[in-house]
Amino acid sequence: MRGRVWKFGANVDTDQIIPAEYLVTGDARELAKHVFEKARPGFAEKVRKGDILVADENFGCGSSREHAPRALIGAGISCVVAKSFARIFFRNAINIGLPVVECDVSAEDGDELEIDFEKGVIRNLTTNKSYVFKPLPEFLLNLLNSGGLVEYTKKRLSIYE
Amino acid sequence: MLFPLRQIFLMGAVNLLAMTIAEKILARAAGKDNVEPGEIVEAEVDYVMLNDVTGLPAFEVFEKFGVEPIKEKVVLIQDHYVPNKDVASAEQAKAMRLFARKYGIENYYEVGVSGICHQVMIEDGFAAPGRLIIGADSHTCSYGALGAFSTGVGSTEAASAMALGSLWFRVPETMKLVVDGEPGRYVMGKDIILHIIGDIGVDGALYKSMEFYGKAIEDMSLADRISMANMAIEAGGKAGIFPPDEKVFSYLEGRVKGSYTPVYADENAEYIETLEYNAADIPPTVAKPYLPSNVAPAAELGDVAIDQAYLGSCTNGRIEDLRIAAEIMRDRKVHENVRMIVVPASKKVYEQAIEEGLVKVFLEANAYVSGPTCGACLGGYMGVLAKGERCISSTNRNFVGRMGHKDSEVYLANPAVVAASALKGRITDPRELS
Ligand code: SF4
């Protein structure tokens, strides 16, 4: 996977990702219109499909709103790379199929990143530096690869029948 | 079959079975003798709670499964944008109402009986020791005050759990927090948890369960423990758990749904970290914008003028909170430059506040009192801040734009500080008034 970087700092909270006043729809594309509206005005217009978010510690802290990763998916974000994630955001992202990577990467706005999920390597093509990360535990990787929790649940339900 | 195995473990390596409260509850719910931090388990949940904001996306996902929900586990509570703020929120609330009707969900809380979801979950006896409860709301961790393992999840997860009755969990590491000593006057659970978050940071307990011990915790009211468990998430925690005691058992009498089994940590359970605090060292504390960890003693912020004072929320909207605020505000008036908004956390709290004459005290002081809703706490409606405005708030989050305009500010504090500040028009340590 390759994409252009948007760089954020530490403790990017869910109110920044999608302000609470827009939590009146679950639709990813509707939500994407207001993504980072207060924290980084103009983001929603400039973001392109396949872009990657790079952030410092505790990305996605705050509320449990799944609207946050949904808004990012709606905006076309292909992956979030952060030093660490807030727990619920991390779960939500995997459950709805947004790849998340815990890794300390230095990158600036506009850098080009290449991510190899299987090998656990991120390359910053702009600075020509590489970073390794620990791939997700098998259970979660399967969850992500099988299309998230919805598909997983469907499978489980059909086993019960 | 299981019993002899346990015996063998006991003989072989005692430590293998020593578990924290979180580990024990997850092990029990996963049908296992033993779990370890980092392990991913599939565990049976006791309840799945949804509110009007997180409900709608969950219902949409749920319909893809083509099954009936496991009804007795589902609790639906209208609280965030009700009574409806606008057409969009009306549609959202309607989606929950229709879902409840379609599947005959008994535990459905409509406007007029409901309250802030976490207060209802506690008041109506869903939360109890030893239970595993998930809620599509981050402050679901509140029920740890009663010795439950409860944690916030997303809407898709809640939908999946309504269908399967279970969900995946990563067994968290557990931190032990010991708070000894006697807290000073007007120092509440809120101050202790703000102090702890100030110390360890907003990711200080990331992915972890926090277990609370010590004399100050034992002496503390259940209401204050709920405020503390509520804010475990503000330290990044997955749960904030208090070993259940007499106070919890007597609170649950006549209110708890079904039976429950208290769970305690083993003596030699392993903690990733142990932190000790003395309550006597902690003053009435305020978290300045824009992080709950940005704390300072209220007494040092006397120059900070405020436009609004908010008393309410799942953190501090209980009767105990209203009582202490009313005690400070009795026969006094809210400062002319301040709007004070008081929102009891539930219908029951509201009724009791009327009965005890607290609502009268607030009204006489020129505070605005409403029925329960999340409203202003999340910048939804009924108390939204304009550009440049500042609010002292008994809630749990002070992020950029949390209660309104991106250039508005939220200062978090306990109900006594909120009340004293409302009277003075600036942030005030309540000890200054007496
Ligand atoms: S009162 Fe505030 S923090 Fe509590 S559930 Fe409602 S919006 Fe969330």
Side-chain angles (χ1 to χ4, degrees):
Chain A
M1 171 189 292
R2 266 192 197 199
R4 184 181 65 147
V5 169
W6 289 87
K7 179 69 179 44
F8 286 81
N11 303 316
V12 171
D13 61 74
T14 49
D15 281 290
Q16 289 181 41
I17 301 172
I18 181 76
E21 55 261 43
Y22 303 116
L23 302 184
V24 286
T25 171
D27 184 73
R29 263 171 310 227
E30 264 314 299
L31 290 166
K33 289 184 191 157
H34 305 289
V35 68
F36 290 117
E37 190 172 279
K38 293 184 188 182
R40 194 172 296 190
F43 179 91
E45 291 80 53
K46 289 188 218 125
V47 67
R48 287 200 309 245
K49 193 165 167 45
D51 284 358
I52 294 172
L53 294 191
V54 177
D56 295 335
E57 295 87 0
N58 205 22
F59 186 89
C61 59
S63 93
S64 66
R65 65 188 71 147
E66 197 172 298
H67 307 71
R70 279 196 194 199
L72 295 179
I73 287 180
I77 297 296
S78 62
C79 180
V80 185
V81 181
K83 279 189 197 165
S84 64
F85 288 90
R87 193 191 70 79
I88 304 177
F89 182 90
F90 187 85
R91 292 183 67 97
N92 279 340
I94 289 174
N95 285 331
I96 67 168
L98 172 67
V100 279
V101 173
E102 213 167 42
C103 184
D104 184 357
V105 169
S106 36
E108 299 298 328
D109 275 349
D111 283 4
E112 191 82 9
L113 285 198
E114 190 179 67
I115 305 177
D116 187 327
F117 290 96
E118 252 126 68
K119 292 207 187 98
V121 180
I122 297 180
R123 238 155 63 87
N124 185 332
L125 301 173
T126 310
T127 61
N128 211 8
K129 288 218 172 86
S130 293
Y131 307 86
V132 285
F133 62 90
K134 208 166 105 198
L136 289 173
E138 207 186 314
F139 179 88
L140 299 187
L141 214 51
N142 284 340
L143 203 61
L144 199 56
N145 289 337
S146 66
L149 192 63
V150 171
E151 293 311 313
Y152 174 86
T153 305
K154 281 187 189 160
K155 229 176 277 165
R156 284 285 310 271
L157 287 168
S158 66
I159 294 167
Y160 285 156
E161 271 165 14
Chain B
M1 182 65 190
L2 284 174
F3 191 64
L5 196 71
R6 189 171 258 270
Q7 291 283 334
I8 295 163
F9 269 108
L10 268 173
M11 288 189 301
V14 174
N15 262 332
L16 254 182
L17 276 180
M19 289 187 279
T20 66
I21 300 179
E23 288 158 10
K24 276 195 182 171
I25 295 177
L26 284 173
R28 192 262 308 148
K32 302 179 85 170
D33 279 345
N34 198 21
V35 295
E36 276 179 56
E39 189 177 336
I40 290 175
V41 296
E42 184 131 12
E44 186 81 16
V45 300
D46 291 292
Y47 290 108
V48 186
M49 186 277 293
L50 296 119
N51 62 44
D52 50 319
V53 165
T54 55
L56 175 72
F59 305 143
E60 286 170 2
V61 170
F62 184 83
E63 293 304 332
K64 297 182 188 167
F65 300 142
V67 293
E68 294 263 319
I70 303 174
K71 276 185 229 154
E72 60 282 6
K73 292 195 181 203
V74 180
V75 188
L76 305 177
I77 304 175
Q78 306 265 21
D79 67 351
H80 273 56
Y81 288 115
V82 296
N84 312 135
K85 137 188 156 154
D86 54 14
V87 173
S89 63
E91 294 294 341
Q92 212 167 235
K94 186 176 164 195
M96 174 172 277
R97 194 169 299 124
L98 294 182
F99 187 88
R101 277 188 204 147
K102 175 173 177 188
Y103 295 110
I105 308 278
E106 270 180 38
N107 297 319
Y108 168 66
Y109 288 82
E110 184 58 90
V111 175
V113 271
S114 77
I116 294 171
C117 55
H118 307 304
Q119 181 61 17
V120 171
M121 288 295 286
I122 292 169
E123 253 173 25
D124 276 25
F126 295 102
R131 287 186 182 161
L132 175 59
I133 303 175
I134 56 169
D137 189 281
S138 60
H139 292 103
T140 301
C141 52
S142 305
Y143 328 145
L146 293 92
F149 184 100
S150 60
T151 194
V153 300
S155 296
T156 299
E157 305 185 271
S160 172
M162 282 196 287
L164 296 173
S166 61
L167 185 64
W168 66 272
F169 293 87
R170 178 187 170 279
V171 179
E173 288 82 17
T174 302
M175 270 171 99
K176 184 175 193 173
L177 297 113
V178 184
V179 190
D180 281 313
E182 295 260 349
R185 185 153 162 73
Y186 294 126
V187 173
M188 302 175 67
K190 180 68 159 283
D191 303 287
I192 296 174
I193 193 68
L194 284 176
H195 181 84
I196 291 172
I197 297 166
D199 182 41
I200 66 176
V202 290
D203 58 355
L206 199 59
Y207 308 132
K208 300 187 187 94
S209 169
M210 304 165 88
E211 253 175 46
F212 294 92
Y213 294 92
K215 173 149 191 319
I217 301 296
E218 288 159 24
D219 293 347
M220 187 181 282
S221 70
L222 179 57
D224 273 9
R225 290 181 200 169
I226 299 170
S227 308
M228 289 185 66
N230 176 271
M231 290 194 73
I233 177 79
E234 264 65 58
K238 179 170 192 153
I241 308 182
F242 293 66
D245 62 2
E246 257 323 302
K247 284 179 195 162
V248 174
F249 308 144
S250 65
Y251 177 81
L252 288 173
E253 259 179 53
R255 126 179 15 243
V256 69
K257 300 220 186 309
S259 60
Y260 63 90
T261 312
V263 169
Y264 299 96
D266 292 313
E267 217 166 288
N268 48 354
E270 270 188 49
Y271 294 91
I272 187 158
E273 201 176 356
T274 299
L275 297 173
E276 289 174 14
Y277 299 91
N278 187 341
D281 298 340
I282 301 174
T285 298
V286 171
K288 301 178 286 178
Y290 290 102
L291 283 177
S293 56
N294 197 13
V295 296
E300 284 175 18
L301 299 173
D303 299 338
V304 181
I306 53 161
D307 304 289
Q308 181 169 302
Y310 184 76
L311 175 61
S313 87
C314 55
T315 321
N316 282 119
R318 276 168 282 283
I319 194 68
E320 292 83 351
D321 301 312
L322 302 192
R323 276 186 202 136
I324 193 165
E327 170 199 312
I328 290 169
M329 295 176 69
R330 192 177 297 276
D331 300 328
R332 289 171 160 142
K333 295 272 186 248
V334 171
H335 191 275
E336 57 183 7
N337 295 342
V338 178
R339 299 97 65 180
M340 183 175 191
I341 300 174
V342 181
V343 183
S346 70
K347 176 200 173 106
K348 286 185 182 140
V349 174
Y350 197 12
E351 281 176 326
Q352 199 173 344
I354 292 173
E355 248 164 60
E356 293 183 19
L358 309 182
V359 169
K360 191 152 182 277
V361 172
F362 295 129
L363 292 175
E364 281 176 2
N366 292 339
Y368 177 92
V369 185
S370 91
T373 174
C374 287
C377 171
L378 79 161
Y381 72 125
M382 263 197 35
V384 175
L385 300 174
K387 184 176 179 181
E389 286 191 327
R390 201 177 275 146
C391 180
I392 183 111
S393 179
S394 72
T395 55
N396 46 37
R397 289 193 174 135
N398 57 353
F399 301 148
V400 174
R402 170 69 178 182
M403 293 182 79
H405 193 277
K406 73 174 170 45
D407 296 326
S408 60
E409 293 184 342
V410 179
Y411 287 71
L412 305 175
N414 79 29
V417 175
V418 169
S421 306
L423 299 176
K424 287 283 186 183
R426 54 176 176 78
I427 294 180
T428 303
D429 183 326
R431 293 174 299 189
E432 202 186 291
L433 290 173
S434 42

